[in-house]
Amino acid sequence: MADRPLDRVLARLAGVKASGGGHVARCPAHDDAHQSLSVTDGDDGRVLLHCHTGCTPEAVAAAVGFSLRDLFAPKDAAPARPAAKARIVATYEYRDESGELLYQAVRLEPKDFRQRRPDPAKPGAWLWNLSGVRRVLYRLPELRAADPALPVYVVEGEKDVDTLRAIGLLATCNVGGAGKWADAYSAALAGRHVVIVPDLDTPGIDHAEKVGRALILHAASVRVLRLPDLGPVAAKHGRDVSDWLAAGGTAERLAELAGQTALYDPDDDGDGRPWIAAYASDLLVVVGEAWQAIAAKNDPPRLFVFGGDIVRVTARPGEPPASRALTDDGLWRELLRCARFYEEKAQGKDRDTERVWIDPPDRVIRAMADADAPPVPLLERIIETPSFARDGSFIAAPGY
């Protein structure tokens, strides 16, 4: 059995995946199909649990047979460090304004993340915690030296920052990944034009909202750019900007999408997505509202009905358009992009209710997938120009 509380918790969870500086998994305290639980290691060795649908840490721990006490490291435990079999595959240095090394984010194989800082008492040695260390944004010296007119892309992890840097873009992130943005980071982006590019999962979108609200009082402009799906490559390997680029995205296309994205509005949840009561008694009403939300965002259209199936039409750079059947997971991603599902949960001793954002429920996904007449256009065929229409007219321009 693993000796760290984090390892013991992860061993009892399903759907575990590394995300930023921690992990995401399916929450055991509710019927979770889309990894709504964030699991991270605190600086003191404590396991931090956050269910993005509202389940309490007590409920999550109890669902896997633990108490909250089990989430703490023993008082006499040594500072957290990688197990002997773990191998360091990448290090990401966090430096202050003058270039002095403050700490590193360390990526390990088997896939895991840790943070470490130089040991002031032992040159060349490391302490595997960030206790008492000032937190700064990744690649802060480059950020300060860059042209203030350049957009800054705020992403979830160091790998994504370096991927964007390699194609000539200015990017940064905070240590620890989703949910770890600190107010002190915002001052470093004062007066900058910021484009937040979240991972397309619930923790990532939650993180983008938190960062957007923190930056709105500091940055010259803030946009939250949710990347479009580019097909099976992104779906297979993940939902971050690195996956999007691997699936055919380019720096030019990213800048174009950023320019088309509306300014972030905290009073409108950043993007105008409607709220939908996930567990309203009439499922048909919920499904109707969900389809209305998708139809409102489907302009210009990218979803169609073709051959009796709901399909997404995509075009990779240099390739002709193609239609791909929309899977249940694809429909779930579309709903994340177009609507906010919620349920009312009692809060505190007075039992007042609060609206809690949750993932699109599986029952809604299934009902939508079986829709006889979804409100999206009918696709007859895909052709390449030049061509002739059925009435004999000549078609020379691309379009619908």
Side-chain angles (χ1 to χ4, degrees):
M1 179 179 290
D3 57 357
R4 291 190 309 135
L6 179 66
D7 294 326
R8 293 198 297 271
V9 171
L10 293 176
R12 298 194 185 187
L13 295 173
V16 175
K17 184 182 78 170
S19 177
H23 298 79
V24 293
R26 293 199 291 273
C27 177
H30 75 280
D31 185 13
D32 186 9
H34 297 292
Q35 297 166 311
S36 300
L37 180 68
S38 293
V39 187
T40 54
D41 226 347
D43 292 343
D44 56 0
R46 172 168 51 108
V47 180
L48 304 177
L49 301 173
H50 178 63
C51 176
H52 295 268
T53 71
C55 299
T56 65
E58 293 90 341
V60 175
V64 292
F66 287 134
S67 67
L68 287 182
R69 182 178 300 176
D70 296 321
L71 304 182
F72 287 82
K75 291 184 178 180
D76 58 350
R81 65 175 61 244
K85 65 179 180 179
R87 177 173 61 90
I88 294 176
V89 294
T91 57
Y92 306 98
E93 296 185 343
Y94 282 74
R95 297 179 177 273
D96 66 13
E97 295 85 348
S98 66
E100 180 181 352
L101 177 63
L102 298 176
Y103 52 90
Q104 289 182 341
V106 181
R107 180 169 179 160
L108 305 164
E109 189 63 44
K111 192 173 182 180
D112 198 1
F113 294 88
R114 295 285 186 275
Q115 292 88 40
R116 65 183 186 180
R117 57 188 172 95
D119 186 344
K122 299 178 182 178
W126 298 95
L127 296 174
W128 291 86
N129 63 70
L130 299 186
S131 179
V133 178
R134 175 193 171 204
R135 309 296 203 273
V136 297
L137 290 176
Y138 185 47
R139 296 197 173 276
L140 178 61
E142 291 181 17
L143 184 63
R144 290 174 58 86
D147 183 349
L150 289 175
V152 180
Y153 292 86
V154 175
V155 292
E156 195 170 311
E158 296 87 3
K159 178 195 70 173
D160 293 334
V161 172
D162 290 348
T163 298
L164 292 178
R165 181 172 175 266
I167 59 174
L169 300 177
L170 183 63
T172 190
C173 70
N174 59 276
V175 70
K180 297 294 185 179
W181 186 268
D183 290 339
Y185 297 141
S186 301
L189 295 172
R192 307 302 297 249
H193 297 283
V194 177
V195 181
I196 304 168
V197 187
D199 288 5
L200 293 183
D201 52 24
T202 300
I205 294 174
D206 272 353
H207 181 66
E209 296 288 342
K210 181 178 181 179
V211 176
R213 289 181 178 273
L215 289 177
I216 197 70
L217 298 177
H218 298 269
S221 67
V222 179
R223 290 175 167 83
V224 178
L225 168 58
R226 290 175 177 81
L227 293 170
D229 188 2
L230 282 186
V233 175
K236 179 178 179 181
H237 296 291
R239 299 167 181 156
D240 59 29
V241 68
S242 296
D243 302 315
W244 183 82
L245 290 166
T250 64
E252 293 75 18
R253 180 57 177 156
L254 189 64
E256 180 183 2
L257 290 171
Q260 296 170 355
T261 300
L263 291 174
Y264 177 78
D265 179 0
D267 293 329
D268 194 26
D269 296 317
D271 54 14
R273 288 178 294 166
W275 288 90
I276 299 175
Y279 293 106
S281 57
D282 191 335
L283 178 59
L284 292 179
V285 172
V286 180
V287 170
E289 292 179 350
W291 273 119
Q292 288 175 15
I294 286 181
K297 293 277 189 179
N298 199 36
D299 182 20
R302 62 195 224 117
L303 297 183
F304 299 85
V305 172
F306 179 56
D309 295 323
I310 303 168
V311 301
R312 180 192 291 116
V313 174
T314 59
R316 298 185 187 178
E319 297 182 9
S323 66
R324 296 181 176 86
L326 193 67
T327 63
D328 286 357
D329 192 54
L331 184 54
W332 178 81
R333 290 198 298 272
E334 289 293 334
L335 285 173
L336 272 184
R337 189 175 68 88
C338 299
R340 287 176 175 271
F341 286 83
Y342 73 92
E343 62 179 334
E344 299 285 353
K345 288 197 172 183
Q347 303 291 323
K349 295 180 180 179
D350 55 7
R351 310 307 291 171
D352 286 343
T353 60
E354 180 182 20
R355 180 177 290 186
V356 177
W357 178 24
I358 66 172
D359 283 338
D362 289 341
R363 68 170 192 150
V364 176
I365 301 293
R366 291 192 296 267
M368 293 180 70
D370 289 337
D372 293 329
V376 296
L378 177 65
L379 177 66
E380 293 186 1
R381 57 188 175 133
I382 297 175
I383 62 172
E384 295 187 52
T385 56
S387 183
F388 288 94
R390 290 178 178 175
D391 62 3
S393 59
F394 182 66
I395 302 174
Y400 293 96

